[in-house]
Every structure is written in structure tokens, then in C-alpha cells.
Amino acid sequence: MRKILLGLILLGIFISSTVFSQGYHISGNQIVDNTGNACVFKGTNVNGSNWVWDGSTKNDSDLISNVWNFNLIRVNCLLYGNHYSDNNDLDKIVRVFTRRNVAVMLEVHDFTGAEPTESQLVDLKQWWVEKAKKYKDNSWVWFNIENEPVDSWINGGVGLTTRWRDVHEQCIGAIRETGAENICICDDNGWGAGGWKSSTSGTLTYGKYLASKYSNVAFGVHVYDDNQTSTKLIDWFNKILDAGLCPIVGEFGIQGGSDVKLPNTPTNVFKALYSSDRLKNIARIGWHWRSGDANDYTTTGNGAGNTINKIDGTKPTNLTSTYGSLVWDDNHGTLDFTNTSIGLNYKYEQEPSVYPNPINNGSFKLNLGDFDKSETVQIQILNLNGKIVYTSCINTDNISKIVVVNANIIKGLYLVNIITEKKVHSLKLLYN
């Protein structure tokens, strides 16, 4: 029994150290890992503590990470009111998702379309200080200070004063005083959109000040407007990058306030991101996994991400064409835009993936990602001692990208190597 317990403890330490050592920070205008490699985050908003929609986020972790291939969640939380409590244990959400190599962005939603009063700012800072003390050693956890603030109701809610700067400065300052250097995100003024003008953008007006005072600060952009064409978005993203700042698309969807339909917004977002290598690494987070407001990933049920009609990694047939289908293809490396009118022609390389993960037997599916036809692919599974416990060779002429692997292995943590003539790609696999 002692040996078993010791093994479990060592495995837990190994998993934790592996995950946390691969944490993230901001370098210049990009999110990078600890080796300096730029990272592309593709995420979804999910239910968090005291949220207004029910449904367990933790219970959907496999669908979110291994089927949809999201590697970032933005956890929507409320400080005030009495709503659903099924996601109040944020520690469980953080543990479940970071162990699946999914970054967790916590955010406070109470002050949408406003700014906190002085007494509310005290509560907001205290909430963030508590989270900073708890997660300061886990750089997979990020802090989105306040959702979609509106600093001033001048010009329909896109006016800008120093209040936007002061709230973020005080909250990030309080976080940093705990010793936490986690990535902090500042949503732009004007409902996260910044009014699309430099004069009303908190990011472009005060972003350099905040980013020079504090490390690891990114800036959130929310896109709910069909009038913001891909050309305009390209210009907007480049302005933020030109300022030396790191942008994140914290929300986008197909419906805005007052039930305004926005069928072109996701297409415009992806066309902009796919327009150049410079923009391809901008993180993007769709709204919303639970689809409580008609921002539907699917055409069935309530439109939530967990209502897809296929969970084997192949593309579901009930995705919404103007939103869910685009998000799926973006996550799986199959989205390709060609638009000669604005010179867009960019296709991502798809990264290999394994699912489910963790597994409960020796069988799993392997998405090989992009490979050349007539290329031989070798699959290896190695244990913690570096011993090869499974190997096979596959000729890709007559197979799809999805390969079923049946390996005679025991419970534990493994490394899966996908070896081609040009490169080796490694994935972690947990059998529990």
C-alpha cells in the first residue's frame, strides 16, 4: 500500500511539475511558453462561480479539451447576487483543466457596461487578491480583471476618462503585491470594443502605461458587430500590435445585445486572424459554451457545445454554419479562407492530438494532424523511464487522419511520439 501511495504521489508531482513548468507569460505582443515559443490559444467562455446559467463546467472537460480541442477557457464569475452554485468550486475547475493542458482565465462579469464604485472596487480587489494568493505559482491561470467596462456614457457609452486606467492599475497592483505574476487581461473600454477609435480605446490610450508598469498584461477585444469587417479588424489588431501590446479576442459570437443577429461577425474575426502570420497567434475565445443567449455552437438542443452529435473527433453534422462550424474547423486546423478582394489566403498547420485523454483502458484515438501523402508515420508510446512500450508504422496513403491505437499498457503517464520523415511531435497521455 505504501508503494502504491508513493507512486501516486510521485505521479501527481510529475504531472503538476510538467504542467506548471510549461506555463505561459507575455513577451512583447505575444503569449509564449517558458521556452519562448509563441502559443496559439483557442478558447470558449464557460460557466463559473455564481453564474447565471446552470451546467457543470468540470463535467464537460473532456468534450471541451479532447473533442472540441479548446486549449483555453474563460470562466465567467459574479461577485454579487445569488445564482447557480454548481461551479462555485473554482479550484476543481482549475485542477481538471490545467491537468488537461488547458489554460484557465478567470474573469469578473459584474461590471459589464459600467465601472465599479469605490466600495465595489474594494470588493473586486479583494477577490483578485484571494485568487492571486491561491494561484500565483500556477501560470496556467490568468486573471481577466473586469468584463466589458464602460468608462463614460459620452457618445453612447464609448467615452474615455482615467477611470478605466485607475481600476485596472489598482487591481493589477494588488495582484502583483502578492507576488503573483500571472497574465492579467484588461478588457477595452466601450463594452470591450474600444469604440474602434484610438480616442475612446483604453487599450490604445493607457495600454502602454499599464504594460510598462506591470509585466504580463494583455488587452481584451470583444467583437459583436457585423459592420466591423475583416479589413477593419485587421487594422484594429495591427494598431494594438504596433503599440507593442498583446491583444486577446475575449469574446465573439453571432448575437449581440437586444437579440441583434450577427451572422457575419465570426467569419470576419477568422478572416482577420487568418490574414497574416502576424495575426495568427492572437488568442480567440468564443461566447458561449452553454449558449444561454442564442450564441449557438449547434443547431439542436439549446445550442450548447455539449450538444454535438458526434464525440469521436470527427466533425459533427449539427454545427451552426456561421459559428460552430468555423470554431470547430479553427480548432482542428481545417479552416481555410481565400478572399482575393482583401488578399487573404492562409491555412493553419494542424497539430496532432490524442483523445480521450485521460484514458481508462489502452485504447485511444490519434489525430495525426497535417501529413504528406505517401509518408510513413511511426507511432511510439514511452513510459516514464523512457522505455518504448508500443510502436507501429502506418503508411498514410489509405488512411484518414484519425487512427485508433490499441496498446497493451498499464495505468500511468506516457509520452506518445508521432514520427515522420520531417519531424517528431510528442503528446502526453494519462491512463488512470
Side-chain angles (χ1 to χ4, degrees), residues 15 53 86 182 201 230 249 255 277 289 307 359 384 423:
I15 294 172
W53 300 327
D86 45 353
N182 305 62
S201 167
S230 54
V249 180
Q255 178 164 302
D277 286 340
W289 176 255
T307 62
I359 58 176
L384 293 182
K423 59 185 177 181

Side-chain angles (χ1 to χ4, degrees), residues 146-162:
E146 56 171 343
N147 181 71
E148 296 184 359
V150 169
D151 183 10
S152 168
W153 278 99
I154 300 171
N155 297 326
V158 293
L160 181 66
T161 70
T162 58

Side-chain angles (χ1 to χ4, degrees), residues 2 28 55 79 107 119 126 137 141-142 169 180 218-219 335 337 339 347 371 404 409:
R2 289 182 179 178
L79 306 186
E107 69 94 6
S119 62
Q126 181 58 38
D137 295 323
V141 181
W142 308 347
E169 183 176 14
F219 298 89
L335 185 59
F337 279 116
N339 188 329
K347 182 172 173 56
F371 55 81
V404 177
I409 56 177

Side-chain angles (χ1 to χ4, degrees), residues 32 232 242 272-273 283 290 366:
V32 301
K232 291 181 180 179
D242 288 343
L273 295 175
R290 281 288 169 174
L366 193 62

Side-chain angles (χ1 to χ4, degrees), residues 14-73:
F14 179 87
I15 294 172
S16 298
S17 62
T18 299
V19 169
F20 295 164
S21 67
Q22 294 177 348
Y24 302 101
H25 63 280
I26 292 173
S27 176
N29 53 22
Q30 295 188 100
I31 301 173
V32 301
D33 62 22
N34 285 346
T35 64
N37 293 318
C39 304
V40 183
F41 285 94
K42 304 172 183 183
T44 184
N45 282 267
V46 298
N47 295 350
S49 58
N50 197 30
W51 189 240
V52 295
W53 300 327
D54 67 340
S56 170
T57 293
K58 175 176 63 70
N59 290 347
D60 284 344
S61 59
D62 184 66
L63 282 174
I64 290 171
S65 61
N66 290 328
V67 180
W68 275 87
N69 281 0
F70 288 116
N71 61 358
L72 169 64
I73 57 171

